[in-house]
């Protein structure tokens, strides 16, 4: 049997796997992506796409067209014992992004968008291929693939990434990777259906507490999802539409009447996390590395961002631009994110879905009387949204990012790169549009006011870096608003807002990774520190 070779084999064609394929395609790295299922599921599954994920996906396609397929949520309405307790508004909390709201959309649409982006590179998920025996050695990984008709093929890859869910065969093939955790005791029921005579707000979702708990997510075209956790439910009886309607009538009386269900199911939730994201040439991402409650709508988003973190690093190592040990940074950067997510979503889940009658009584009192006061503070809402939106993710403790000496700006090495409007060749555009995903970017900020650099100083720094640019990074110059840039290759910072977001007033540089996080940042007078860092 002949052996087919590739650089990276991705096992699993869900959102995590396809996102990794997109990153590798952008980098020009040979790969294959397989999935054992012959076709995608037509069930809605994961619904929430967070603002940070929208930012990152916009690097691969026009995410605004994707957004038009769903509903943007401006917040949450809480109900307690059938009465409205409070609204939590997230509008205006994120001012440094064109995507400040959560997108509520079927996973069917998310997968379709990702498939379309991948097709633009000439690739697609190979369906009906199941990974069997996976054996790694010091030079690569040998994988046996099988088709439904029994035919087999052997693939030899430099690296294999398991994006194949909670029962990952890649994780099981690894040595020493554990998946510790347990199942939650609660029984959950889910229904996607049309709704009529409804008073629900289509630009927000509702969380309802009482005897049991209920969540209502508006979808497109007059449909919604209802998820419920019942107390004293009979596990032997499958849920019916009437069960959901009864809970709506109890916990959200004016929601409306459900009809024409397209999906009714019951399920149990688990919370588990892997003890390492890498075993030599095997990697895990998404649900293969972490599964948890859907509280906060973080799961799919975290998997997508696992893939974005890993993709460019694999490319660097495969091209020989970084040592193999560089890939250890994937585990060091992403596993703490996954662990924090497990811990936080577990707490949120306990508050929202506990079946202990004494705790339920206490929780309902808190939600009715304390929650309205708590969310009345914009700063408290902003802190919550920073976590939920995933804008707050930072790798500042990573060993592969740094901040130059003497720099005191608000953005440091490892932080997300903020976005604001700039002017390029007389036209307004978002700064993030410059940050294409195939390479690093060096951004030179001219500074503001009396401290601003002359054009000659910027040109000198530009020339200095071009002579020492091992990553083949793209260079961009951001002048302050008052600087005349005609005839000069650069962009104008409208209202100096981008300078402000970075906390930059003196001439400075920002070295940005392909995944949209700061690798190195400092004053322009310390540009030599970046050169030494890259050397």
């Amino acid at each position: 049997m002949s052996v087919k070779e590739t650089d990276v084999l991705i096992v699993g064609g869900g959102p995590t796997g396809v996102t990794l394929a997109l990153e590798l395609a952008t980098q020009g790295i040979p790969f294959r992506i397989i999935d054992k299922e012959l076709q995608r599921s037509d069930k809605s599954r994961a619904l929430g796409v967070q603002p940070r994920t929208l930012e990152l996906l916009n690097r691969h396609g026009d995410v605004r067209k994707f957004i038009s397929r769903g509903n943007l949520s401006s917040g949450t309405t809480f109900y307690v014992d059938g009465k409205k307790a409070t609204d939590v508004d997230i509008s205006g909390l994120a001012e440094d992004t064109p995507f400040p709201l959560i997108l509520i959309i079927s996973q069917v649409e998310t997968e379709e968008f990702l498939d379309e982006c991948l097709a633009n590179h000439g690739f697609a998920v190979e369906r009906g291929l199941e990974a069997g025996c996976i054996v790694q050695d010091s030079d690569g990984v040998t994988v046996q693939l099988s088709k439904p008709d029994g035919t087999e093929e052997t693939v030899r890859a430099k690296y294999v990434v398991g994006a194949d869910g909670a029962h990952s065969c890649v994780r099981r093939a690894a040595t020493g990777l554990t998946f510790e955790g347990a199942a939650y005791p609660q029984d959950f029921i889910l229904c996607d259906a049309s709704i009529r005579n409804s008073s629900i707000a289509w630009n927000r979702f509702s969380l309802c507490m009482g005897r049991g708990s209920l969540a209502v997510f508006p979808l497109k075209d007059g449909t919604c999802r209802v998820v419920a956790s019942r107390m004293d439910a009979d596990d032997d009886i499958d849920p019916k539409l009437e069960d959901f309607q009864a809970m709506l009538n109890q916990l959200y009386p004016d929601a409306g009447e459900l009809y024409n269900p397209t999906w009714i199911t019951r399920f149990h939730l688990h919370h588990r996390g892997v003890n390492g994201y890498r075993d030599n040439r095997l990697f895990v991402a998404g649900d293969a590395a972490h599964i948890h409650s859907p509280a906060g709508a973080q799961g799919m988003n975290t998997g997508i961002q696992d893939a974005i973190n890993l993709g460019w690093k694999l490319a660097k190592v495969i091209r020989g631009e970084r040592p193999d040990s560089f890939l250890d940074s994937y585990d060091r950067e992403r596993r703490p994110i996954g662990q924090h997510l497990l811990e936080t979503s577990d707490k949120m889940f306990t508050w929202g879905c506990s079946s202990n009658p004494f705790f339920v009584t206490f929780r309902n009192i808190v939600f009715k009387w304390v929650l309205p006061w708590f969310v009345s503070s914009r700063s408290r809402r902003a802190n919550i949204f920073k976590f939920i939106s995933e804008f707050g993710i930072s790798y500042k403790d990573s060993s592969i990012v740094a901040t130059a000496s003497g720099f005191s700006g608000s953005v440091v090495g490892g932080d997300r790169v903020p976005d604001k409007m700039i002017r390029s060749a007389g036209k307004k555009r978002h700064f993030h549009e410059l940050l294409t995903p195939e390479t690093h970017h060096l951004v030179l900020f001219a500074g503001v006011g009396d401290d601003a650099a002359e054009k000659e100083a910027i040109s000198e720094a530009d020339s200095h870096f071009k002579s020492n640019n091992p990553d083949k990074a793209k260079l961009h110059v951001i002048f302050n608003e008052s600087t005349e840039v005609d005839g000069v290759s650069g962009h104008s910072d409208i209202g100096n807002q981008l300078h402000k977001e970075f906390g930059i007033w003196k001439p400075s540089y920002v070295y940005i990774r392909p995944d949209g996080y700061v690798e190195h940042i400092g004053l322009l007078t310390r540009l030599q520190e970046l050169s030494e860092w890259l050397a």
Side-chain angles (χ1 to χ4, degrees), residues 337-375:
I337 303 298
Q339 289 174 327
H340 179 62
L341 172 60
L342 282 168
E343 294 167 0
T344 306
S345 63
D346 189 58
K347 293 175 182 176
M348 294 168 66
F349 178 85
T350 299
W351 267 92
C353 300
S354 174
S355 57
N356 182 300
F358 297 104
F359 182 84
V360 167
T361 299
F362 171 73
R363 178 201 66 194
N364 292 348
I365 292 172
V366 169
F367 272 66
K368 185 180 297 185
W369 299 107
V370 179
L371 184 63
W373 164 81
F374 185 83
V375 300

Side-chain angles (χ1 to χ4, degrees), residues 252-306:
Y252 193 174
D254 55 351
E257 179 188 356
L258 298 170
Y259 70 102
N260 192 24
T262 57
W263 187 27
I264 293 179
T265 188
R266 70 186 315 152
F267 58 95
H268 282 86
L269 294 170
H270 294 253
H271 50 108
R272 298 182 186 276
V274 76
N275 63 334
Y277 282 26
R278 181 190 189 188
D279 174 37
N280 296 318
R281 292 182 175 272
L282 304 180
F283 297 83
V284 290
D287 285 354
H290 43 77
I291 55 173
H292 45 82
S293 87
Q298 302 290 293
M300 180 180 68
N301 296 272
T302 303
I304 288 172
Q305 293 181 45
D306 286 344

Side-chain angles (χ1 to χ4, degrees), residues 104-126:
I104 305 299
I105 192 169
S106 166
Q107 187 172 325
V108 173
E109 298 285 355
T110 302
E111 291 173 342
E112 184 176 325
F113 173 76
L114 291 170
D115 285 344
E116 290 168 356
C117 293
L118 188 59
N120 290 335
H121 292 278
F123 296 99
V125 178
E126 298 179 56

